[in-house]
Amino acid sequence: MTMTPEQAAWFQGTFTRLVDNIDKAVQGKREVVSLVLAAMLAEGHVLLEDAPGTGKTSLAKALAATVQGTSSRIQFTPDLLPSDVTGVTIYDQQAHKFEFHKGPIFSSIVLADEINRASPKTQSALLEVMEESKVTVDGVTHEAGRPFLVIATQNPVEQAGTYKLPEAQLDRFLIKTSIGYPDLAVTELILAGASDRNPSSSLSAMITTGAVADMADLAASAHVEPAVLRYVAELAEATRNDSGVRLGVSVRGAIAMIRLAKVWAAAHGRHYVLPDDIKTLIAPSWQHRLMLDAEAEFAGTTADVVINRVLETIAAPQARTAA
């Protein structure tokens, strides 16, 4: 069943209230907060490439508090084991049976801090749970629940002793973005409230986790015209054929774009997706999925350059405003 205009209006109002609440703890970053919230409602995951001290932990905690969910933080280090993330099965001598002790991945919002500092073996422990929202340990499957959002961070400055995320894992992230430093006026406001070490603790829950799951299901019913679907497919194909690209956007990446665009449309009070939604979301949704050719990269080509090039090459369809 397709979303109605009335449902889209309700979705927009609820989405705005959620962003307003998170903005109390992560001030001056409404665009980033909106993107991360949209990623959660599209049931995807977020990669933040940011310098230390920009509010990544505050964002995760504020989001969890707003949706009445749980949050956990995993500090990734070279000696971190997969079982430290997913959990471990331990034998209970009194009950004479094995019991599964859940790891920190079993939270509504999981902050995977400096994910590229862990070994590839530990990084790969996230692949199943990020793709299918479940963990299999000793042949037994454990559901992660809904909502489930992994916010992984990378430090773009310090790369010594890190393990680059493989393309297969990068492709699991719905969006890649950064919070960045606040402007001068917002910094002053933050400093004025510096005595509150945990601003998210004072936030009131605006919605239940069950209602968040309902919002995700509702957003998935937004209408997408065949012309818009073809537009996304042509853009993805254009990234693969670009002279500066070694590996373009996968089919998974194109699907991710549609899922995110549906949420974005509903967040703006529409029950249908516009080509402009695709143009707005293409950079955060696709820039981390492009593997550039070494010579092109050396010549100054970036993912953003490629994205702008394909947007100029592929003509957007004429927008239609109703299903």
Side-chain angles (χ1 to χ4, degrees), residues 64-142:
T66 297
V67 302
Q68 209 174 43
T70 56
S71 66
S72 62
R73 175 180 175 179
I74 310 171
Q75 186 65 50
F76 279 70
T77 56
D79 60 347
L80 192 75
L81 299 175
S83 58
D84 295 329
V85 175
T86 60
V88 65
T89 302
I90 300 177
Y91 184 73
D92 187 332
Q93 294 185 346
Q94 293 183 340
H96 301 290
K97 64 179 182 179
F98 286 95
E99 290 185 351
F100 178 65
H101 292 245
K102 291 183 177 180
I105 199 66
F106 288 92
S107 293
S108 306
I109 314 295
V110 179
L111 180 65
D113 209 7
E114 294 193 285
I115 187 174
N116 55 336
R117 291 203 175 278
S119 67
K121 181 178 181 180
T122 301
Q123 291 176 8
S124 65
L126 291 172
L127 289 177
E128 180 188 18
V129 67
M130 287 177 63
E131 184 70 18
E132 303 177 27
S133 296
K134 63 183 181 181
V135 174
T136 303
V137 177
D138 295 333
V140 180
T141 299
H142 308 271

Side-chain angles (χ1 to χ4, degrees), residues 220-232:
S221 68
H223 178 73
V224 187
E225 283 285 327
V228 176
L229 294 175
R230 183 173 182 83
Y231 181 50
V232 172

Side-chain angles (χ1 to χ4, degrees), residues 50-57 179-182 190:
D50 245 325
T54 52
K56 299 182 289 291
T57 303
I179 298 176
Y181 292 116
I190 295 172

